[in-house]
């Protein structure tokens, strides 16, 4: 009877240890049970439970590793980082997101390259319309502001040059904005002003020649004037003076 009682007590102790290990549901608890009752009646169940727990722990550790890697990739947010993730986890839980991110970043880079090549406010606005949260959004905003300021400065310089209406002022504008929006108009204005200056200079030379001829008041001086300026604006007066002298 005592033997049977001891056996029953031992079995109760093992059952309680098994219930405790199952309730804890940890590798350490089940291993502790097996170390004590490796040949017990719950040993096979304990080994199966231990195998499942260890497999779950390996799976969880692997998932944590992938999650940590994905967090680093998202923080870096470059095609190379996403490609590195895909090389390690081609079928990972974030694989589709990684491929979509690569495609989006490549599209963003291409759109930015087009905007930079055109380098206009309209091009940068078009980039922002498609990629408002793109990697180059801040640079696009800065470029728009700089181009707008440059456009306003050019417009002010052109208004100043037109108001001055001199060869020097228009040349100064063209030296600074030779490829600007008003460059063709400025060149046309410059050509007109240069023609006008040349005509005015030529007229001054003729006027001075006439004044010298009048001051000399000789046939030779008046004829010299007429020989050079026979169609000039003082030609009729010169002929009248010559007739009086002759």
């Amino acid at each position: 009877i005592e033997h049977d009682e001891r056996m029953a007590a031992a079995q109760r102790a093992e059952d309680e240890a098994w219930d405790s290990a199952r309730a804890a549901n940890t590798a350490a608890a089940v291993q502790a049970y097996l170390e004590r009752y490796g040949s017990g009646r719950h040993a096979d169940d304990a080994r199966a439970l231990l195998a499942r727990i260890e497999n779950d722990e390996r799976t969880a550790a692997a998932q944590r590793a992938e999650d940590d890697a994905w967090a680093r990739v998202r923080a870096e947010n470059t095609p190379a980082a996403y490609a590195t993730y895909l090389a390690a986890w081609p079928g990972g839980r974030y694989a589709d997101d990684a491929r979509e991110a690569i495609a989006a970043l490549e599209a963003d880079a291409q759109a930015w390259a087009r905007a930079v090549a055109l380098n206009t406010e309209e091009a940068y606005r078009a980039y922002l319309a498609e990629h408002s949260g793109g990697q180059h959004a801040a640079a696009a905003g800065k470029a728009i502001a700089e181009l707008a300021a440059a456009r306003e400065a050019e417009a002010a310089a052109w208004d100043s040059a037109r108001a001055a209406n001199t060869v020097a002022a228009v040349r100064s504008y063209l030296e600074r904005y030779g490829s600007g929006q008003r460059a063709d108009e400025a060149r046309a204005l410059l050509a007109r002003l240069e023609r006008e200056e040349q005509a005015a200079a030529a007229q001054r030379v003729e006027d001075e020649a006439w004044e010298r001829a009048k001051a000399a008041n000789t046939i030779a001086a008046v004829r010299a004037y007429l020989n050079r300026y026979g169609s000039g604006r003082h030609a009729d007066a010169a002929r009248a003076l010559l007739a009086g002298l002759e």
Side-chain angles (χ1 to χ4, degrees):
I1 294 174
E2 290 180 0
H3 177 267
D4 291 342
E5 288 178 351
R6 286 196 299 272
M7 290 294 294
Q11 190 58 62
R12 284 195 300 274
E14 180 186 350
D15 290 344
E16 290 172 359
W18 172 235
D19 290 341
S20 178
R22 282 193 306 173
N25 197 41
T26 65
V30 178
Q31 283 173 341
Y33 167 83
L34 285 170
E35 286 172 2
R36 188 169 183 184
Y37 302 103
S39 300
R41 66 176 179 175
H42 303 295
D44 289 343
D45 289 340
R47 290 186 183 93
L49 176 58
L50 179 61
R52 180 181 63 77
I53 290 173
E54 289 178 337
N55 182 67
D56 290 346
E57 287 183 350
R58 286 191 296 270
T59 299
Q63 191 57 64
R64 286 194 300 273
E66 182 182 355
D67 291 343
D68 291 344
W70 179 246
R72 291 192 297 271
V73 165
R74 288 293 296 159
E76 187 173 341
N77 196 35
T78 65
Y82 290 116
T84 299
Y85 166 83
L86 286 171
W89 289 279
R93 65 193 295 188
Y94 306 109
D96 289 343
D97 291 340
R99 294 184 183 95
E100 290 176 4
I102 289 173
L105 287 170
E106 289 175 347
D108 178 81
Q110 292 169 0
W112 178 245
R114 288 193 298 272
V116 170
L118 294 172
N119 196 36
T120 64
E121 292 175 65
E122 293 75 14
Y124 290 118
R125 287 196 179 96
Y127 166 82
L128 286 175
E130 294 180 11
H131 305 275
S132 59
Q135 288 195 314
H136 307 285
K142 181 180 178 183
I144 289 170
E146 289 174 348
L147 287 169
R151 173 171 47 77
E152 291 170 2
E154 181 187 350
W158 173 238
D159 289 342
S160 178
R162 281 195 307 172
N165 200 41
T166 65
V167 168
V170 178
R171 279 181 179 163
S172 178
Y173 167 83
L174 285 170
E175 285 172 2
R176 189 170 183 184
Y177 301 103
S179 300
Q181 290 185 324
R182 302 288 188 171
D184 289 343
E185 191 174 350
R187 290 186 185 95
L189 175 58
L190 178 61
R192 179 176 65 78
L193 290 172
E194 287 176 336
R195 287 194 302 270
E196 290 174 355
E197 280 195 356
Q198 290 165 0
Q203 191 58 61
R204 286 194 298 274
V205 171
E206 181 188 348
D207 291 344
E208 290 169 359
W210 172 236
E211 292 300 324
R212 288 193 298 273
K214 284 197 301 179
N217 199 37
T218 64
I219 291 173
V222 177
R223 279 181 177 167
Y225 168 83
L226 285 169
N227 287 338
R228 188 170 183 184
Y229 302 105
S231 300
R233 67 178 177 178
H234 305 294
D236 290 343
R239 291 186 183 95
L241 177 58
L242 182 60
L245 292 172
E246 291 178 332

